[in-house]
Amino acid sequence: MQSKDKLVMRALGGETLPTPPVWMMRQAGRYLPEYRATRAEAGSFLELCYNPELAAEVTLQPIRRYGFDAAILFADILLVPQALGADLWFVEGEGPRLSTVTSQADLDKLGPVDAIHDTLSPIYETVKILKSELPAETTLIGFAGAPWTVATYMIAGRGTKDQAPSRSLIYQNRPVFDALMDRITDATAAYLIKQIEAGAEVVKLFDSWSGALPGALFDQYAIQPAIKIINQIRAAHPGVPIIGFPRQAGEKAEAFIDATGVEACAIDTSVDPAWAARVLQPKACVQGNLDPLLLITGGDALIKATQETAAAFANGPYIFNLGHGITPEADPANVDVMLRALRG
Ligand code: 1CP
């Protein structure tokens, strides 16, 4: 099957399909026993990310189990900071930790953009393996974190609730913040271009914390970096569809689509599907936004919400997905319930 004939590619090309293609954020993850087994075999989360055979294996697991229409490369948005020279480690049961960047001296310790591929080459290898092993009809999605979201982890050294350390740096040392953003922006474009060259058919930019940007700064730090990245990708590989995920941007998602020209906009659980269908869908394919909590609670509420979400977007280009990643507590059987409700 040619890439352009795959269901996800057709939706991204603007086609309205009778049954929407479907995949899930974090579809390779701890809710699956086979993921937990492969992660144990790898030793740690980071060793899994940098082991092309095992990273490809966990990417394929949810495809085998559920027949999703897309596979997302197994990696993490925090590999880019690591490739730029930040220290990165995961504290079991807590989450990521990084060495922080809050001054010119910290910035000077980071390496050049060209050097990132030394660290990231196993990721490109994973993409190559997936390209040859995925079923013919499955679309392969590459990804990276958007610069603001990646910067929040580099500045705070961990995940935070409200991104206060990063907003503080904007107010206290704008030149350092801007220089960090520029470095991440160029690294992200270079990283995504290499993923495409290795076989990714689509790329997704995760701006998980865009909702924490003060409104007046959304254009400068969510939209403008996305434009720079997209321009570099389009110059190298015109025609590769791009999915933006300006999470919790609310109605600013419209300006995001207008300014960046993304083929698709992923929406989080807070977005009203009727609004998104009316305002966003005429401009781009929409992807989302079932509440991931329903995959824990299941039952009739899951069936009803799945069908209502799909119905809201039935008159335009649409990819069914969750509003955020599936959680470790989700019941794998509920994913089958969701798929039956969607596909009949
Ligand atoms: O213990 C484990 O096995 C680790 C859990 C885990 C997984 C499965 C992490 C740590 N990352 C991932 C994989 C991952 N991360 C993928 C690929 C697989 C897939 O989707 O199937 C992707 C696309 C991501 C993206 C990612 N990582 C984002 C953006 C999307 C989002 O969730 O908003 C973010 C913010 C991260 C950072 C990160 N990595 C891992 C955790 C627990 C976190 C969040 C940390 C925090 O904010 O506290």
Side-chain angles (χ1 to χ4, degrees):
M1 185 185 278
Q2 281 192 294
S3 185
K4 68 171 177 47
D5 297 325
K6 301 183 186 184
L7 293 177
V8 167
M9 300 304 279
R10 287 170 59 188
L12 290 169
E15 232 181 286
T16 303
L17 298 166
T19 301
V22 50
W23 66 281
M24 295 191 310
M25 282 188 270
R26 291 277 166 99
Q27 62 191 18
R30 281 173 294 176
Y31 74 107
L32 289 179
E34 58 268 37
Y35 170 85
R36 295 196 297 268
T38 308
R39 186 183 185 283
E41 186 187 338
S44 69
F45 173 69
L46 282 176
E47 284 169 294
L48 178 54
C49 289
Y50 288 116
N51 182 322
E53 290 293 337
L54 296 183
E57 166 58 25
V58 294
T59 307
L60 290 164
Q61 286 167 350
I63 307 303
R64 286 189 206 115
R65 193 191 259 258
Y66 299 115
F68 288 122
D69 297 292
I72 184 157
L73 161 70
F74 190 86
D76 197 80
I77 66 164
L78 301 177
L79 304 185
V80 166
Q82 187 176 40
L84 281 170
D87 294 329
L88 170 68
W89 67 103
F90 279 79
V91 179
E92 204 57 51
E94 289 190 34
R97 295 289 182 275
L98 297 94
S99 51
T100 58
V101 180
T102 57
S103 67
Q104 186 61 46
D106 295 335
L107 261 179
D108 293 341
K109 281 186 243 152
L110 296 180
V113 168
D114 292 343
I116 63 171
H117 307 303
D118 299 343
T119 301
L120 296 171
S121 60
I123 310 306
Y124 313 140
E125 193 52 40
T126 305
V127 175
K128 282 188 198 145
I129 296 172
L130 288 168
K131 189 180 157 68
S132 73
E133 293 194 0
L134 275 171
E137 66 278 12
T138 314
T139 298
L140 178 55
I141 303 175
F143 76 94
W148 159 250
T149 287
V150 171
T152 65
Y153 289 96
M154 295 184 78
I155 293 164
R158 58 192 298 163
T160 67
K161 214 167 60 267
D162 56 4
Q163 316 319 321
S166 302
R167 290 187 288 126
S168 301
L169 188 65
I170 294 176
Y171 303 136
Q172 289 172 329
N173 197 340
R174 193 79 164 245
V176 163
F177 179 80
D178 285 345
L180 177 61
M181 286 288 286
D182 287 344
R183 187 84 62 99
I184 300 168
T185 300
D186 289 340
T188 303
Y191 179 45
L192 290 174
I193 287 168
K194 288 278 193 193
Q195 290 183 29
I196 291 166
E197 286 165 359
E201 297 168 286
V202 177
V203 292
K204 179 169 175 184
L205 204 52
F206 285 87
D207 214 348
S208 301
W209 300 115
S210 71
L213 277 166
L217 297 179
F218 184 84
D219 179 71
Q220 191 173 356
Y221 294 130
I223 291 179
Q224 296 306 323
I227 291 175
K228 282 189 203 157
I229 291 166
I230 290 169
N231 284 346
Q232 290 191 47
I233 294 172
R234 297 240 195 275
H237 300 285
V240 172
I242 296 165
I243 306 173
F245 184 28
R247 193 166 79 91
Q248 280 170 3
E251 14 188 80
K252 292 197 285 286
E254 186 185 8
F256 180 87
I257 295 171
D258 288 341
T260 61
V262 285
E263 279 71 15
C265 184
I267 54 172
D268 65 80
T269 307
S270 71
V271 178
D272 174 10
W275 174 84
R278 192 175 69 248
V279 176
L280 304 183
Q281 215 176 12
K283 297 170 184 255
C285 177
V286 172
Q287 177 181 281
N289 71 341
L290 189 82
D291 188 345
L293 201 62
L294 285 159
L295 295 170
I296 302 175
T297 57
D300 288 344
L302 169 61
I303 294 170
K304 190 162 173 277
T306 298
Q307 290 171 342
E308 284 176 358
T309 305
F313 294 107
N315 297 319
Y318 174 57
I319 299 168
F320 187 91
N321 205 309
L322 310 180
H324 202 193
I326 185 169
T327 56
E329 301 77 26
D331 180 351
N334 280 334
V335 178
D336 288 309
V337 173
M338 178 189 84
L339 291 173
R340 270 198 305 276
L342 191 68
R343 292 168 162 171

